[in-house]
Amino acid sequence: MHNLRIPIEPYEGDLSGVAHYLDRMNFQLLTQIAPYKNNNIWTALSLHGFGSNASDIFKPGFVDTKVEVDTQLQWTSLFNESIMKPISEMISKLPCNFERIRFTKLVAGKTLKKHTDNIDDDIKNKKIARLHIPIRTNNDVIFTFYENENDLKGKLFNLKTGHYYYLDVTKHHSVSNNSNIDRYHLVIDCFVNDELKTLFKGIF
């Protein structure tokens, strides 16, 4: 199984304010995965990363981009917005240090076809674990995870708002937003430590 819920108490508060705030934000293109280059289907904003602005979504030396990238990990200005207090509470439950933390948006009615994430060696070597927390989703947003490239059927998952998930993005997967509203996930890259390994025991 490639999709696993992490045993952390889910956030039960109202996240609609965060979602409505994100609706007004100018998300940045995620250009790593073909055929989604240069379109607005799959986009992101930075909460913690290599730069002080929410638009600083990239990692230095990882993506071929002309965008200037800082080399120092830091919280962006978005993190300091008062509406982000629920997000801060969710992040504080994780016993780790963080690399990038981003909001990702999948536009209403759109699908990311079968792919693996274009990731760095630290994720491949499990020095970094990529976690997902749905911020706004619904029953019509479906993740499909595949055993391999030749698996045509896969296994379908519907991730729940406020729950913590470890997604093995080195495996083939697809995402369909069959609803009429944009889907937001908080995507957290955690530096793996002993406490996190204990929390992930049997699922990482």
Side-chain angles (χ1 to χ4, degrees), residues 123-177:
I123 289 181
K124 291 178 184 176
N125 298 331
K126 296 192 173 182
K127 293 180 180 179
I128 290 176
R130 178 160 292 173
L131 315 184
H132 280 238
I133 306 174
I135 302 302
R136 183 170 69 197
T137 190
N138 56 68
N139 292 335
D140 294 321
V141 177
I142 302 297
F143 267 83
T144 305
F145 281 84
Y146 305 90
E147 289 299 321
N148 51 57
E149 190 173 2
N150 297 320
D151 180 4
L152 300 178
K153 186 177 180 181
K155 188 167 184 178
L156 278 58
F157 296 91
N158 177 246
L159 310 186
K160 303 301 181 184
T161 301
H163 289 253
Y164 296 69
Y165 297 90
Y166 165 64
L167 305 183
D168 187 351
V169 293
T170 68
K171 308 297 184 183
H172 284 86
H173 58 282
S174 62
V175 194
S176 294
N177 183 357

Side-chain angles (χ1 to χ4, degrees), residues 58-113:
F58 295 112
K59 183 174 180 174
F62 179 55
V63 177
D64 184 16
T65 176
K66 294 180 181 178
V67 178
E68 294 269 339
V69 180
D70 204 322
T71 57
Q72 181 68 42
L73 280 167
Q74 56 200 280
W75 294 104
T76 71
S77 55
L78 181 59
F79 181 76
N80 295 321
E81 298 290 339
S82 58
I83 194 67
M84 291 297 155
K85 184 178 179 181
I87 302 300
S88 177
E89 291 177 15
M90 286 189 285
I91 291 171
S92 69
K93 293 184 179 182
L94 291 166
C96 60
N97 293 321
F98 306 108
E99 199 210 38
R100 288 181 296 169
I101 303 176
R102 295 167 292 169
F103 289 107
T104 61
K105 176 168 74 171
L106 180 57
V107 173
K110 300 298 183 180
T111 293
L112 291 173
K113 297 180 181 179

Side-chain angles (χ1 to χ4, degrees), residues 28-31 33 35-43 112:
Q28 303 298 304
L29 294 174
L30 280 162
T31 58
I33 297 175
Y36 304 109
K37 295 182 178 181
N38 304 318
N39 64 30
N40 287 304
I41 292 174
W42 191 47
T43 55
L112 291 173

